[in-house]
Amino acid sequence: MIKFFRHIRKQLLVENKTGKYLKYAIGEIVLVMIGILLALQVNNWNEDRKSLKFEKRILIDLHNTIIDDYTSLERSIRENELSKNSCEIILSHFDDNIPYNDSLAFHFENAHLRWKSSATISAYERAKSYGLDFIKDDSTRILLTKIFVGNNNFSETLDEREALYFHNSAVPILTSLFKSTEVALSKEFIEGNHIPYDYEILKENKEYRTILKTTVGYRKNTISWMNYRFRQMKSLETKLKRTIDKM
């Protein structure tokens, strides 16, 4: 093609057709510029497609993470409800002066099981490093940051406060009242068969009653907060799914 254009220019010069040569040269320059612009445009299209594909992958990762997180959160809500119920059952047995029975061993243990659930931030950090501005919907972007940063930090603060109370205040009393209280620090709760040294004395122990009532209060606050987070996660999941489907 280049040889063809050179031949035409040479022919025009030989024939001394200067005017036509200038017009042809200008036309050739215009064609070259158009070719360059088209090449740039094609390159931009390719880059845009690559960016769109990568952004969709980010959103899919966020969407899958949210589903995993709120599924885990559902379980934590259920388990914390059971823990709260065990505390209330024990208190009810004490108040109604019900004799000890083997089923209480389960409730003595379950009363102090503590379940937490934090948002998995790896997908959010990848999205943040890319730049969240590619998410055009302001409400989605704001909710995303709120769930993975603000809510997560608050959840960790709540859990830290309860952990401090449990290990500093409750554990010393529990270990003096029950025959088996193995503290599993990694799981943040006491596990094992919880059989009291003396059930009748335990019923009258004010410190233990205070622990149970305090635990009920903690569980109610935790469950309320988790339900709030769950609703936010479901809302974000819907927003992300809608955005992904449009891409």
Side-chain angles (χ1 to χ4, degrees):
M1 183 64 73
I2 294 175
K3 289 182 178 180
F4 175 73
F5 287 141
R6 284 178 179 173
H7 176 74
I8 293 176
R9 290 200 306 272
K10 186 176 181 181
Q11 188 67 31
L12 290 171
L13 287 172
V14 170
E15 295 176 1
N16 200 25
K17 297 180 178 179
T18 307
K20 289 185 177 181
Y21 174 81
L22 289 173
K23 291 179 181 179
Y24 173 80
I26 293 170
E28 188 176 329
I29 292 171
V30 172
L31 287 174
V32 171
M33 291 179 64
I34 291 173
I36 292 172
L37 290 173
L38 286 174
L40 289 173
Q41 185 63 50
V42 170
N43 183 65
N44 288 337
W45 286 339
N46 289 333
E47 290 300 319
D48 287 343
R49 282 198 294 269
K50 289 179 182 177
S51 296
L52 188 62
K53 185 177 181 180
F54 184 68
E55 289 168 1
K56 187 173 183 178
R57 183 70 259 170
I58 290 176
L59 291 174
I60 290 173
D61 287 345
L62 286 169
H63 181 258
N64 291 340
T65 295
I66 282 292
I67 292 176
D68 289 341
D69 281 352
Y70 74 60
T71 300
S72 174
L73 192 60
E74 276 187 305
R75 185 190 177 195
S76 293
I77 291 170
R78 289 196 303 270
E79 296 297 340
N80 278 306
E81 285 279 6
L82 291 174
S83 175
K84 178 180 72 68
N85 291 343
S86 287
C87 289
E88 293 171 339
I89 287 171
I90 295 169
L91 287 168
S92 177
H93 273 65
F94 289 174
D95 292 338
D96 295 338
N97 202 27
I98 299 175
Y100 178 81
N101 58 76
D102 291 340
S103 66
L104 277 177
F106 165 78
H107 293 298
F108 284 136
E109 176 183 346
N110 196 56
H112 304 292
L113 295 179
R114 184 160 55 87
W115 296 80
K116 62 179 183 177
S117 180
S118 300
T120 308
I121 64 171
S122 55
Y124 172 78
E125 289 297 332
R126 284 195 295 273
K128 184 181 176 182
S129 65
Y130 177 75
L132 296 177
D133 288 341
F134 80 92
I135 302 175
K136 304 305 179 186
D137 182 64
D138 290 341
S139 63
T140 300
R141 192 169 59 253
I142 292 170
L143 187 56
L144 191 68
T145 302
K146 186 174 184 180
I147 287 174
F148 284 100
V149 180
N151 288 0
N152 221 30
N153 291 340
F154 187 68
S155 293
E156 290 177 359
T157 299
L158 285 180
D159 185 73
E160 186 177 319
R161 288 174 182 172
E162 185 173 354
L164 286 172
Y165 167 76
F166 180 73
H167 290 288
N168 294 340
S169 301
V171 168
I173 296 171
L174 293 174
T175 54
S176 69
L177 295 173
F178 293 89
K179 296 178 183 179
S180 175
T181 53
E182 299 175 11
V183 180
L185 295 177
S186 61
K187 294 182 180 179
E188 299 291 351
F189 57 68
I190 286 182
E191 63 181 357
N193 290 321
H194 284 51
I195 300 173
Y197 285 111
D198 189 315
Y199 178 70
E200 295 303 319
I201 291 177
L202 183 67
K203 284 194 301 182
E204 304 302 322
N205 190 291
K206 294 181 179 180
E207 289 181 318
Y208 183 59
R209 281 177 175 264
T210 299
I211 289 173
L212 291 173
K213 291 177 180 178
T214 301
T215 300
V216 169
Y218 272 124
R219 294 294 179 273
K220 286 181 177 179
N221 289 336
T222 298
I223 292 165
S224 177
W225 170 245
M226 284 183 169
N227 278 317
Y228 172 72
R229 285 178 58 212
F230 180 80
R231 291 192 296 271
Q232 286 190 324
M233 286 181 177
K234 289 290 287 183
S235 175
L236 180 59
E237 188 269 332
T238 300
K239 290 176 180 291
L240 290 172
K241 182 66 166 59
R242 188 182 302 127
T243 302
I244 292 168
D245 290 341
K246 290 180 180 178
M247 299 179 78

